[in-house]
Amino acid sequence: MPSNIPALSSQPVPSRRDLLRGAAALAALVPFTAACATAGSGSPASGTSAAPVGRITKDNPLGVVSSEPLEVVVFKGGYGDEYAKFAGGLYRKRHPQAQIKHAGLQNVGQAMQPRLVAGDPPDVIDNTGAGRLDLAALIADGQLTDLTPLLDAPSAHDPAVRVRDTLLPGVVDSGVFDGKPYVLNFVYAVWGVWYSSSLFAKHGWTYPATWAEMLTLCEEIKKTGIAPWTYQGKYPEYLNDPLLTMAAKAGGMEMVTAIDHLEPGAWRHDAVREALEAYAELAGRGYIMKGSEALSHTEAQTAWCQGKAAFIPCGSWLESEQASVTPEGFDMVVAATPRLTGGDKMSAATILASASESFFVPTRAGNPAGGLEYLRWLLARESAAKFAELNAALPAVKGAVDGLTVSSGLTSINTMVEAAGTDTYNWRFRGWYAPLAKVVDDSTGELVTGRIDAKQWVDRVQKAADKVAGDDSVKKYRR
Amino acid sequence: MRHGRRRFVAGFLALPLVMYAVLVLSPYAQAFYLALTDWRGVSARAEFVGLDNFARLLDDPQMWAGLRNNGLMLLVIPVVTILLALLLAALLTLGRSGRGVRGAGAYRVVYFFPQLLSVAVIGVLWQFVYTPNNGLLNGVLEAFGIAGRSWLADPALALWAVMAVVVWSSTGFYVVLFCAAMQSIPREILEAAHVDGAGRFTVFRTIVLPLVRENIQVAYIYLGIGALDGFALVQIMTVGPGGPDNATEVLGLGLYRNAFTYGQFGYASALGVVLFFLTLTLAVLVMRTSRRERIEVV
């Protein structure tokens, strides 16, 4: 039970009782109580048990009461909110009596936090963008609905196939916490190393398959006066994506799992150290554009688009993010991170894949069945194709771009995803243990500026991981 | 009659007092309470954990980095800003003619300009000034044949680069404050000193400085409180933010990160309580010293 704030009863001037008797003062006390952060928990009666349940039929696999209103809140960022409204339109075709309220916000976290605390959230939230709410915290407090019924329901475009089987590899896993799917990430994101295919064609360069080839190519690129690499120095996590992917491909899934499970000494794996040494060498040989460590993502990516550097690490959103500054004929493409050696445990095509735009259904929503049903329509191939068409990005649904004419970047993403097949992986520690992720990012920033070496990096990160592992107040997760 | 007047006064006071209680006192009280819980900020569930959050603070390297950096800012920013503002104010007000340098009025307006910009604008502007490859600062340095630096990405320079911006943006306000104080010094006293053969520096040290001492103390408190914050500029400008490698970490940033990135509102509240007491201690200390000195002067 929420405890009332002790200070609640103490008024600024308690001796002036007559003052308090004023009706205005009493009326004003109502918001005073409501304003207490933890006081609005509501009665136990406001739980999920009160939610309306409809009859489950073939056409209504989630038991939606068609007349119930539905409220959908999405992040209106780089991908806009047209696609979300489109999915709402499909929902209304099936449930014509439903009133749907759409909201596209830039600060979803800030706006939704008080409603979640008060127990009055909308039916679907796309928890994305700066200031998004911590998913691990939401789940630990029982705020999110288990999405298993949705994933096991027949998909909207093909009733013979379950929703979970229409999704790209890694999508379901990216929303699993403690073995249960709580979050549906709608936009498929893959990471790799980007370059301009026209620049490479002009110089006759080919994308390297191993790190040794990468270093040879970098030497050649450097001779032309172009910096071989740049990165988004202000946010070193961008560089961690290819670095840790190289380690993961060499060390295999066992190593990834051990690291995510905070096992003692997991970061001391040889593959981690070798990948660190590889990137330290990149910096040591002067292959990273001067000043990169102080550039924001915009500055670094723009310098890369201007041809000042040949490679930049980034996720699949890069092409749309850079659309306004990319010169004609630049033809950016992305490729899988090179292998450390030929003896890697994962295949050469393996990519770091995850999904973003984190949709969930709050447990205290007024119409949780409607929320799940909305997500089912969002995952219909029609909605997914609409999304791809509007945003030149890959949604989490298989085959969404089939038959669409797409840009060089999205084509290369699609090729990379198809080549990888089920060979995708993702780190979970970033979402589960954010303070550990910060240490990893800070340390990589120090590594590539030569202020620490690979051994010091490992020592720092292992120490931070051990600290999280030993902290009882941090909830632990398993893959 | 008296009763009616009381009601009249109460009618005016009730609303502001209640608003003050709701918007100021209640959040403070709640922060103190939340600091003793494990509230995550996403539901109403908050369990009482006693002083655990404060114990964890002691073992948090980021908290210590923040404390160290705020401490350095507290030592550097008020002193440098006040010295600079005093110098400029003296140049603008204390000439032999009694009117300061030519165009003093225009300078006073220009110095005040940074005060009109929001912190966010200042942060973004200076980020461009500091950016390594085509930034203004490196451009100027390179024109003189001096090699540029990655100002915000070098742990030895980053905090100083941020502090320079704080000084730049706050000096103008204190120039105006000190100008007003210096102008209120009776001209006869200054003239008498000149007649007695006191040089400009002596006049400044022995007459002007003691007479504007109270303004300096006010400035010190304000600047000190500002130096204990620094959140906005660090958040906008620095690598990480708070980096490289915690070189520009400040307590306010740690508070923000713990609350809004890590979902640890209870722990963040504990940080807030610590920051509250630090600020309070600073204000009390400065005011105590000022009281003693006033007695000495009198």
mmCIF file with all atom_site columns, all heavy atoms in Angstrom, chain B residues 172-189:
data_model
loop_
_atom_site.group_PDB
_atom_site.id
_atom_site.type_symbol
_atom_site.label_atom_id
_atom_site.label_alt_id
_atom_site.label_comp_id
_atom_site.label_asym_id
_atom_site.label_entity_id
_atom_site.label_seq_id
_atom_site.pdbx_PDB_ins_code
_atom_site.Cartn_x
_atom_site.Cartn_y
_atom_site.Cartn_z
_atom_site.occupancy
_atom_site.B_iso_or_equiv
_atom_site.pdbx_formal_charge
_atom_site.auth_seq_id
_atom_site.auth_comp_id
_atom_site.auth_asym_id
_atom_site.auth_atom_id
_atom_site.pdbx_PDB_model_num
ATOM 1   N N   . GLY B 1 172 ? 28.109 39.018 -17.174 1.00 0.00 ? 172 GLY B N   1
ATOM 2   C CA  . GLY B 1 172 ? 27.382 40.232 -17.532 1.00 0.00 ? 172 GLY B CA  1
ATOM 3   C C   . GLY B 1 172 ? 26.398 40.675 -16.464 1.00 0.00 ? 172 GLY B C   1
ATOM 4   O O   . GLY B 1 172 ? 26.315 41.856 -16.130 1.00 0.00 ? 172 GLY B O   1
ATOM 5   N N   . PHE B 1 173 ? 25.677 39.729 -15.900 1.00 0.00 ? 173 PHE B N   1
ATOM 6   C CA  . PHE B 1 173 ? 24.697 40.053 -14.874 1.00 0.00 ? 173 PHE B CA  1
ATOM 7   C C   . PHE B 1 173 ? 25.370 40.719 -13.682 1.00 0.00 ? 173 PHE B C   1
ATOM 8   O O   . PHE B 1 173 ? 24.875 41.722 -13.149 1.00 0.00 ? 173 PHE B O   1
ATOM 9   C CB  . PHE B 1 173 ? 23.981 38.776 -14.448 1.00 0.00 ? 173 PHE B CB  1
ATOM 10  C CG  . PHE B 1 173 ? 22.991 38.985 -13.349 1.00 0.00 ? 173 PHE B CG  1
ATOM 11  C CD1 . PHE B 1 173 ? 21.729 39.491 -13.628 1.00 0.00 ? 173 PHE B CD1 1
ATOM 12  C CD2 . PHE B 1 173 ? 23.319 38.697 -12.036 1.00 0.00 ? 173 PHE B CD2 1
ATOM 13  C CE1 . PHE B 1 173 ? 20.811 39.693 -12.619 1.00 0.00 ? 173 PHE B CE1 1
ATOM 14  C CE2 . PHE B 1 173 ? 22.408 38.897 -11.010 1.00 0.00 ? 173 PHE B CE2 1
ATOM 15  C CZ  . PHE B 1 173 ? 21.147 39.393 -11.304 1.00 0.00 ? 173 PHE B CZ  1
ATOM 16  N N   . TYR B 1 174 ? 26.518 40.170 -13.273 1.00 0.00 ? 174 TYR B N   1
ATOM 17  C CA  . TYR B 1 174 ? 27.179 40.717 -12.083 1.00 0.00 ? 174 TYR B CA  1
ATOM 18  C C   . TYR B 1 174 ? 27.884 42.030 -12.394 1.00 0.00 ? 174 TYR B C   1
ATOM 19  O O   . TYR B 1 174 ? 28.058 42.854 -11.507 1.00 0.00 ? 174 TYR B O   1
ATOM 20  C CB  . TYR B 1 174 ? 28.112 39.670 -11.473 1.00 0.00 ? 174 TYR B CB  1
ATOM 21  C CG  . TYR B 1 174 ? 27.295 38.508 -10.951 1.00 0.00 ? 174 TYR B CG  1
ATOM 22  C CD1 . TYR B 1 174 ? 27.136 37.346 -11.690 1.00 0.00 ? 174 TYR B CD1 1
ATOM 23  C CD2 . TYR B 1 174 ? 26.589 38.641 -9.760  1.00 0.00 ? 174 TYR B CD2 1
ATOM 24  C CE1 . TYR B 1 174 ? 26.321 36.328 -11.251 1.00 0.00 ? 174 TYR B CE1 1
ATOM 25  C CE2 . TYR B 1 174 ? 25.766 37.628 -9.313  1.00 0.00 ? 174 TYR B CE2 1
ATOM 26  C CZ  . TYR B 1 174 ? 25.636 36.471 -10.062 1.00 0.00 ? 174 TYR B CZ  1
ATOM 27  O OH  . TYR B 1 174 ? 24.814 35.484 -9.619  1.00 0.00 ? 174 TYR B OH  1
ATOM 28  N N   . VAL B 1 175 ? 28.267 42.241 -13.660 1.00 0.00 ? 175 VAL B N   1
ATOM 29  C CA  . VAL B 1 175 ? 28.799 43.549 -14.054 1.00 0.00 ? 175 VAL B CA  1
ATOM 30  C C   . VAL B 1 175 ? 27.731 44.606 -13.778 1.00 0.00 ? 175 VAL B C   1
ATOM 31  O O   . VAL B 1 175 ? 27.993 45.642 -13.158 1.00 0.00 ? 175 VAL B O   1
ATOM 32  C CB  . VAL B 1 175 ? 29.199 43.554 -15.549 1.00 0.00 ? 175 VAL B CB  1
ATOM 33  C CG1 . VAL B 1 175 ? 29.493 44.983 -16.008 1.00 0.00 ? 175 VAL B CG1 1
ATOM 34  C CG2 . VAL B 1 175 ? 30.403 42.666 -15.779 1.00 0.00 ? 175 VAL B CG2 1
ATOM 35  N N   . VAL B 1 176 ? 26.507 44.313 -14.202 1.00 0.00 ? 176 VAL B N   1
ATOM 36  C CA  . VAL B 1 176 ? 25.419 45.270 -13.995 1.00 0.00 ? 176 VAL B CA  1
ATOM 37  C C   . VAL B 1 176 ? 25.171 45.481 -12.500 1.00 0.00 ? 176 VAL B C   1
ATOM 38  O O   . VAL B 1 176 ? 25.030 46.611 -12.026 1.00 0.00 ? 176 VAL B O   1
ATOM 39  C CB  . VAL B 1 176 ? 24.144 44.771 -14.704 1.00 0.00 ? 176 VAL B CB  1
ATOM 40  C CG1 . VAL B 1 176 ? 22.959 45.661 -14.363 1.00 0.00 ? 176 VAL B CG1 1
ATOM 41  C CG2 . VAL B 1 176 ? 24.374 44.744 -16.201 1.00 0.00 ? 176 VAL B CG2 1
ATOM 42  N N   . LEU B 1 177 ? 25.180 44.390 -11.750 1.00 0.00 ? 177 LEU B N   1
ATOM 43  C CA  . LEU B 1 177 ? 24.963 44.483 -10.297 1.00 0.00 ? 177 LEU B CA  1
ATOM 44  C C   . LEU B 1 177 ? 26.044 45.344 -9.634  1.00 0.00 ? 177 LEU B C   1
ATOM 45  O O   . LEU B 1 177 ? 25.749 46.254 -8.856  1.00 0.00 ? 177 LEU B O   1
ATOM 46  C CB  . LEU B 1 177 ? 24.974 43.076 -9.694  1.00 0.00 ? 177 LEU B CB  1
ATOM 47  C CG  . LEU B 1 177 ? 24.699 42.972 -8.198  1.00 0.00 ? 177 LEU B CG  1
ATOM 48  C CD1 . LEU B 1 177 ? 23.209 43.112 -7.928  1.00 0.00 ? 177 LEU B CD1 1
ATOM 49  C CD2 . LEU B 1 177 ? 25.196 41.630 -7.638  1.00 0.00 ? 177 LEU B CD2 1
ATOM 50  N N   . PHE B 1 178 ? 27.305 45.060 -9.976  1.00 0.00 ? 178 PHE B N   1
ATOM 51  C CA  . PHE B 1 178 ? 28.411 45.779 -9.333  1.00 0.00 ? 178 PHE B CA  1
ATOM 52  C C   . PHE B 1 178 ? 28.453 47.240 -9.805  1.00 0.00 ? 178 PHE B C   1
ATOM 53  O O   . PHE B 1 178 ? 28.816 48.137 -9.046  1.00 0.00 ? 178 PHE B O   1
ATOM 54  C CB  . PHE B 1 178 ? 29.749 45.091 -9.615  1.00 0.00 ? 178 PHE B CB  1
ATOM 55  C CG  . PHE B 1 178 ? 29.864 43.730 -8.974  1.00 0.00 ? 178 PHE B CG  1
ATOM 56  C CD1 . PHE B 1 178 ? 30.643 42.735 -9.529  1.00 0.00 ? 178 PHE B CD1 1
ATOM 57  C CD2 . PHE B 1 178 ? 29.178 43.455 -7.787  1.00 0.00 ? 178 PHE B CD2 1
ATOM 58  C CE1 . PHE B 1 178 ? 30.749 41.488 -8.944  1.00 0.00 ? 178 PHE B CE1 1
ATOM 59  C CE2 . PHE B 1 178 ? 29.282 42.205 -7.198  1.00 0.00 ? 178 PHE B CE2 1
ATOM 60  C CZ  . PHE B 1 178 ? 30.062 41.217 -7.772  1.00 0.00 ? 178 PHE B CZ  1
ATOM 61  N N   . CYS B 1 179 ? 28.100 47.481 -11.071 1.00 0.00 ? 179 CYS B N   1
ATOM 62  C CA  . CYS B 1 179 ? 28.059 48.859 -11.574 1.00 0.00 ? 179 CYS B CA  1
ATOM 63  C C   . CYS B 1 179 ? 27.103 49.687 -10.723 1.00 0.00 ? 179 CYS B C   1
ATOM 64  O O   . CYS B 1 179 ? 27.418 50.803 -10.308 1.00 0.00 ? 179 CYS B O   1
ATOM 65  C CB  . CYS B 1 179 ? 27.580 48.881 -13.027 1.00 0.00 ? 179 CYS B CB  1
ATOM 66  S SG  . CYS B 1 179 ? 28.889 48.601 -14.210 1.00 0.00 ? 179 CYS B SG  1
ATOM 67  N N   . ALA B 1 180 ? 25.922 49.108 -10.484 1.00 0.00 ? 180 ALA B N   1
ATOM 68  C CA  . ALA B 1 180 ? 24.917 49.825 -9.697  1.00 0.00 ? 180 ALA B CA  1
ATOM 69  C C   . ALA B 1 180 ? 25.469 50.117 -8.308  1.00 0.00 ? 180 ALA B C   1
ATOM 70  O O   . ALA B 1 180 ? 25.322 51.228 -7.781  1.00 0.00 ? 180 ALA B O   1
ATOM 71  C CB  . ALA B 1 180 ? 23.645 48.994 -9.604  1.00 0.00 ? 180 ALA B CB  1
ATOM 72  N N   . ALA B 1 181 ? 26.145 49.129 -7.715  1.00 0.00 ? 181 ALA B N   1
ATOM 73  C CA  . ALA B 1 181 ? 26.696 49.321 -6.374  1.00 0.00 ? 181 ALA B CA  1
ATOM 74  C C   . ALA B 1 181 ? 27.777 50.393 -6.387  1.00 0.00 ? 181 ALA B C   1
ATOM 75  O O   . ALA B 1 181 ? 27.828 51.252 -5.501  1.00 0.00 ? 181 ALA B O   1
ATOM 76  C CB  . ALA B 1 181 ? 27.258 48.002 -5.854  1.00 0.00 ? 181 ALA B CB  1
ATOM 77  N N   . MET B 1 182 ? 28.620 50.372 -7.405  1.00 0.00 ? 182 MET B N   1
ATOM 78  C CA  . MET B 1 182 ? 29.725 51.332 -7.451  1.00 0.00 ? 182 MET B CA  1
ATOM 79  C C   . MET B 1 182 ? 29.217 52.742 -7.704  1.00 0.00 ? 182 MET B C   1
ATOM 80  O O   . MET B 1 182 ? 29.780 53.722 -7.213  1.00 0.00 ? 182 MET B O   1
ATOM 81  C CB  . MET B 1 182 ? 30.724 50.930 -8.540  1.00 0.00 ? 182 MET B CB  1
ATOM 82  C CG  . MET B 1 182 ? 31.545 49.695 -8.146  1.00 0.00 ? 182 MET B CG  1
ATOM 83  S SD  . MET B 1 182 ? 32.672 49.231 -9.463  1.00 0.00 ? 182 MET B SD  1
ATOM 84  C CE  . MET B 1 182 ? 33.248 47.636 -8.877  1.00 0.00 ? 182 MET B CE  1
ATOM 85  N N   . GLN B 1 183 ? 28.140 52.837 -8.492  1.00 0.00 ? 183 GLN B N   1
ATOM 86  C CA  . GLN B 1 183 ? 27.601 54.171 -8.772  1.00 0.00 ? 183 GLN B CA  1
ATOM 87  C C   . GLN B 1 183 ? 26.988 54.807 -7.536  1.00 0.00 ? 183 GLN B C   1
ATOM 88  O O   . GLN B 1 183 ? 26.880 56.019 -7.452  1.00 0.00 ? 183 GLN B O   1
ATOM 89  C CB  . GLN B 1 183 ? 26.563 54.095 -9.892  1.00 0.00 ? 183 GLN B CB  1
ATOM 90  C CG  . GLN B 1 183 ? 27.225 54.142 -11.249 1.00 0.00 ? 183 GLN B CG  1
ATOM 91  C CD  . GLN B 1 183 ? 26.294 53.719 -12.360 1.00 0.00 ? 183 GLN B CD  1
ATOM 92  O OE1 . GLN B 1 183 ? 25.278 53.067 -12.120 1.00 0.00 ? 183 GLN B OE1 1
ATOM 93  N NE2 . GLN B 1 183 ? 26.641 54.085 -13.582 1.00 0.00 ? 183 GLN B NE2 1
ATOM 94  N N   . SER B 1 184 ? 26.587 53.960 -6.579  1.00 0.00 ? 184 SER B N   1
ATOM 95  C CA  . SER B 1 184 ? 25.961 54.517 -5.387  1.00 0.00 ? 184 SER B CA  1
ATOM 96  C C   . SER B 1 184 ? 27.008 54.958 -4.357  1.00 0.00 ? 184 SER B C   1
ATOM 97  O O   . SER B 1 184 ? 26.667 55.477 -3.310  1.00 0.00 ? 184 SER B O   1
ATOM 98  C CB  . SER B 1 184 ? 25.009 53.489 -4.764  1.00 0.00 ? 184 SER B CB  1
ATOM 99  O OG  . SER B 1 184 ? 25.757 52.418 -4.249  1.00 0.00 ? 184 SER B OG  1
ATOM 100 N N   . ILE B 1 185 ? 28.288 54.739 -4.662  1.00 0.00 ? 185 ILE B N   1
ATOM 101 C CA  . ILE B 1 185 ? 29.325 55.225 -3.746  1.00 0.00 ? 185 ILE B CA  1
ATOM 102 C C   . ILE B 1 185 ? 29.406 56.752 -3.899  1.00 0.00 ? 185 ILE B C   1
ATOM 103 O O   . ILE B 1 185 ? 29.538 57.248 -5.026  1.00 0.00 ? 185 ILE B O   1
ATOM 104 C CB  . ILE B 1 185 ? 30.698 54.607 -4.092  1.00 0.00 ? 185 ILE B CB  1
ATOM 105 C CG1 . ILE B 1 185 ? 30.640 53.095 -3.919  1.00 0.00 ? 185 ILE B CG1 1
ATOM 106 C CG2 . ILE B 1 185 ? 31.801 55.203 -3.210  1.00 0.00 ? 185 ILE B CG2 1
ATOM 107 C CD1 . ILE B 1 185 ? 31.879 52.382 -4.404  1.00 0.00 ? 185 ILE B CD1 1
ATOM 108 N N   . PRO B 1 186 ? 29.310 57.503 -2.796  1.00 0.00 ? 186 PRO B N   1
ATOM 109 C CA  . PRO B 1 186 ? 29.347 58.970 -2.890  1.00 0.00 ? 186 PRO B CA  1
ATOM 110 C C   . PRO B 1 186 ? 30.622 59.438 -3.595  1.00 0.00 ? 186 PRO B C   1
ATOM 111 O O   . PRO B 1 186 ? 31.725 58.975 -3.285  1.00 0.00 ? 186 PRO B O   1
ATOM 112 C CB  . PRO B 1 186 ? 29.324 59.421 -1.421  1.00 0.00 ? 186 PRO B CB  1
ATOM 113 C CG  . PRO B 1 186 ? 28.761 58.266 -0.675  1.00 0.00 ? 186 PRO B CG  1
ATOM 114 C CD  . PRO B 1 186 ? 29.149 57.045 -1.416  1.00 0.00 ? 186 PRO B CD  1
ATOM 115 N N   . ARG B 1 187 ? 30.471 60.309 -4.570  1.00 0.00 ? 187 ARG B N   1
ATOM 116 C CA  . ARG B 1 187 ? 31.596 60.784 -5.366  1.00 0.00 ? 187 ARG B CA  1
ATOM 117 C C   . ARG B 1 187 ? 32.647 61.493 -4.507  1.00 0.00 ? 187 ARG B C   1
ATOM 118 O O   . ARG B 1 187 ? 33.833 61.440 -4.790  1.00 0.00 ? 187 ARG B O   1
ATOM 119 C CB  . ARG B 1 187 ? 31.121 61.756 -6.455  1.00 0.00 ? 187 ARG B CB  1
ATOM 120 C CG  . ARG B 1 187 ? 30.022 61.194 -7.303  1.00 0.00 ? 187 ARG B CG  1
ATOM 121 C CD  . ARG B 1 187 ? 30.425 61.094 -8.760  1.00 0.00 ? 187 ARG B CD  1
ATOM 122 N NE  . ARG B 1 187 ? 31.801 60.697 -8.963  1.00 0.00 ? 187 ARG B NE  1
ATOM 123 C CZ  . ARG B 1 187 ? 32.165 59.449 -9.277  1.00 0.00 ? 187 ARG B CZ  1
ATOM 124 N NH1 . ARG B 1 187 ? 31.275 58.484 -9.346  1.00 0.00 ? 187 ARG B NH1 1
ATOM 125 N NH2 . ARG B 1 187 ? 33.420 59.186 -9.506  1.00 0.00 ? 187 ARG B NH2 1
ATOM 126 N N   . GLU B 1 188 ? 32.160 62.173 -3.436  1.00 0.00 ? 188 GLU B N   1
ATOM 127 C CA  . GLU B 1 188 ? 33.086 62.960 -2.613  1.00 0.00 ? 188 GLU B CA  1
ATOM 128 C C   . GLU B 1 188 ? 34.178 62.075 -2.017  1.00 0.00 ? 188 GLU B C   1
ATOM 129 O O   . GLU B 1 188 ? 35.345 62.461 -1.963  1.00 0.00 ? 188 GLU B O   1
ATOM 130 C CB  . GLU B 1 188 ? 32.354 63.670 -1.457  1.00 0.00 ? 188 GLU B CB  1
ATOM 131 C CG  . GLU B 1 188 ? 31.187 64.558 -1.875  1.00 0.00 ? 188 GLU B CG  1
ATOM 132 C CD  . GLU B 1 188 ? 29.923 63.761 -2.092  1.00 0.00 ? 188 GLU B CD  1
ATOM 133 O OE1 . GLU B 1 188 ? 29.399 63.195 -1.107  1.00 0.00 ? 188 GLU B OE1 1
ATOM 134 O OE2 . GLU B 1 188 ? 29.458 63.653 -3.249  1.00 0.00 ? 188 GLU B OE2 1
ATOM 135 N N   . ILE B 1 189 ? 33.777 60.891 -1.606  1.00 0.00 ? 189 ILE B N   1
ATOM 136 C CA  . ILE B 1 189 ? 34.768 60.004 -0.991  1.00 0.00 ? 189 ILE B CA  1
ATOM 137 C C   . ILE B 1 189 ? 35.867 59.672 -1.989  1.00 0.00 ? 189 ILE B C   1
ATOM 138 O O   . ILE B 1 189 ? 37.058 59.751 -1.700  1.00 0.00 ? 189 ILE B O   1
ATOM 139 C CB  . ILE B 1 189 ? 34.109 58.690 -0.514  1.00 0.00 ? 189 ILE B CB  1
ATOM 140 C CG1 . ILE B 1 189 ? 32.965 59.001 0.456   1.00 0.00 ? 189 ILE B CG1 1
ATOM 141 C CG2 . ILE B 1 189 ? 35.134 57.769 0.139   1.00 0.00 ? 189 ILE B CG2 1
ATOM 142 C CD1 . ILE B 1 189 ? 32.269 57.771 0.982   1.00 0.00 ? 189 ILE B CD1 1
#
